Amino acid sequence: SLQSLDLSESTIDDRSLRHTEHLPLHDLNLFGTNISDRGVQHIAKIKTLRSLNIGATQISDEAIEQLSSLVDLEVFRFCATKITDKGFQSLARLRNIRQLDVSDIPVSEKSFRLIGSLPKLESIDLGGVKVTARDIEDLRSAPCLRHIILFRSELNDAELHALSELKGVRTLQLSRNPFTNNGVAYLGKMTNLINVSMLECPNVSPGAVAQLKKRIPGCQIEHSTERLLPKLFRDR
C-alpha cells in the first residue's frame, strides 16, 4: 500500500487533497504547493501520518490547530509560512515530535518556550530565524535535542555562549552568522559535538577553528570566511 507521497511544488489544490484522506500514508510532502487551511482539513484525517511537510504553503495558525490531532506525528516541517504564537500553542500538543523545521518564520520568545517543552525533540531547523541568547536558553528544556540548524540567524557571541550550555547537542549548522573568535571559543565546552559548520562566517579566523578542533578532536569542522556562491562563479 502507498505509504509515502511526494507532491512538493506540484499543482495540487485544496479540493484534490480529499483523495488522500483514506490513504495509509506515513509520509506526505506538500512543500511549495498552493494548499491552504481548507485543504489541511483533509490531511488531519490521515491518522497514520508520521512525517508532514507543509512548508512554503498558504497555511495559517488554523492549520496547525487542525493538525494537532495527529498525535503520532514525529517529523513536522512548516517553514516559510505565516505561523504565529497561536500556531505554536497548537504545536505544543504534538508530544511525539522529533524533527521540527520552522526556518524563515518569526519565532517569538513565547514560541521558543513552547518549542522547548517538546519532550522528544531531537532536531530543529531555525535557519533564517533571528535568535537571541534568551531564546536558546529556552531550548535547554528539550532534553533530547541533538541537532540544531541556525543558518543566517544573526548569531553573535552571546548566542554562542548560550548554545555552549546545550551539552547534549551533536551537530550545529552555524553558517552565515556574524559571531567572532570569542564566540567560537565558547563552543569548546560542547564535548559531544561531532560536526560544526561555520561556512561564510567572516569574523572567524582559521586559528580559532584550530583551537576548537584541539579542544574537541573528534569533531568535524567546516569553515570559510568568503561568500561561497560568488566564489564559485569566479572560478568558472
Side-chain angles (χ1 to χ4, degrees):
S1 60
L2 183 65
Q3 294 188 338
S4 182
L5 187 59
D6 186 351
L7 296 168
S8 57
E9 300 183 324
S10 71
T11 58
I12 192 167
D13 56 20
D14 291 334
R15 184 186 174 103
S16 301
L17 281 174
R18 73 185 189 278
H19 299 298
T20 67
E21 287 183 9
H22 304 295
L23 295 175
L25 292 175
H26 288 183
D27 182 358
L28 178 59
N29 186 351
L30 294 163
F31 176 88
T33 61
N34 286 321
I35 68 158
S36 68
D37 298 342
R38 184 174 297 180
V40 166
Q41 64 181 317
H42 302 297
I43 302 172
K45 295 178 182 179
I46 312 173
K47 300 305 181 182
T48 53
L49 269 185
R50 299 292 182 272
S51 176
L52 176 62
N53 188 341
I54 48 173
T57 61
Q58 306 302 311
I59 64 156
S60 72
D61 294 328
E62 183 184 338
I64 309 299
E65 168 68 29
Q66 294 180 67
L67 294 168
S68 66
S69 65
L70 299 178
V71 294
D72 291 324
L73 200 64
E74 297 179 358
V75 180
F76 199 4
R77 298 182 171 94
F78 52 91
C79 62
T81 56
K82 296 179 180 179
I83 303 305
T84 70
D85 286 347
K86 184 178 179 182
F88 281 98
Q89 286 176 333
S90 300
L91 171 72
R93 295 201 286 273
L94 294 170
R95 310 303 284 172
N96 286 308
I97 294 293
R98 294 186 298 104
Q99 297 179 36
L100 185 64
D101 182 354
V102 294
S103 55
D104 294 309
I105 293 176
V107 183
S108 72
E109 184 176 310
K110 180 180 180 181
S111 291
F112 266 100
R113 286 196 296 271
L114 292 166
I115 292 170
S117 73
L118 296 172
K120 297 182 180 179
L121 185 66
E122 299 173 6
S123 173
I124 186 166
D125 188 341
L126 292 159
V129 178
K130 186 176 181 349
V131 175
T132 68
R134 175 62 185 272
D135 297 332
I136 293 171
E137 288 170 8
D138 287 328
L139 294 180
R140 292 185 201 171
S141 303
C144 299
L145 191 58
R146 298 293 180 264
H147 312 283
I148 306 177
I149 297 175
L150 287 160
F151 174 79
R152 58 180 175 78
S153 291
E154 301 182 36
L155 302 181
N156 290 302
D157 295 343
E159 284 73 53
L160 264 64
H161 184 263
L163 267 177
S164 71
E165 298 301 320
L166 300 177
K167 300 296 196 303
V169 170
R170 306 275 286 168
T171 68
L172 285 173
Q173 165 54 273
L174 304 175
S175 296
R176 284 202 193 177
N177 279 295
F179 55 80
T180 72
N181 292 343
N182 293 332
V184 173
Y186 293 130
L187 300 182
K189 297 164 59 177
M190 303 178 73
T191 54
N192 286 312
L193 282 175
I194 58 172
N195 186 280
V196 178
S197 182
M198 296 184 287
L199 300 176
E200 302 183 27
C201 290
N203 302 320
V204 176
S205 70
V209 174
Q211 285 297 316
L212 180 61
K213 182 71 175 176
K214 190 178 296 184
R215 294 182 67 183
I216 318 176
C219 183
Q220 179 181 348
I221 303 172
E222 298 176 296
H223 170 244
S224 70
T225 55
E226 293 184 338
R227 292 294 294 267
L228 296 181
L229 191 57
K231 184 177 189 301
L232 287 175
F233 282 112
R234 286 200 304 270
D235 288 345
R236 288 184 176 179

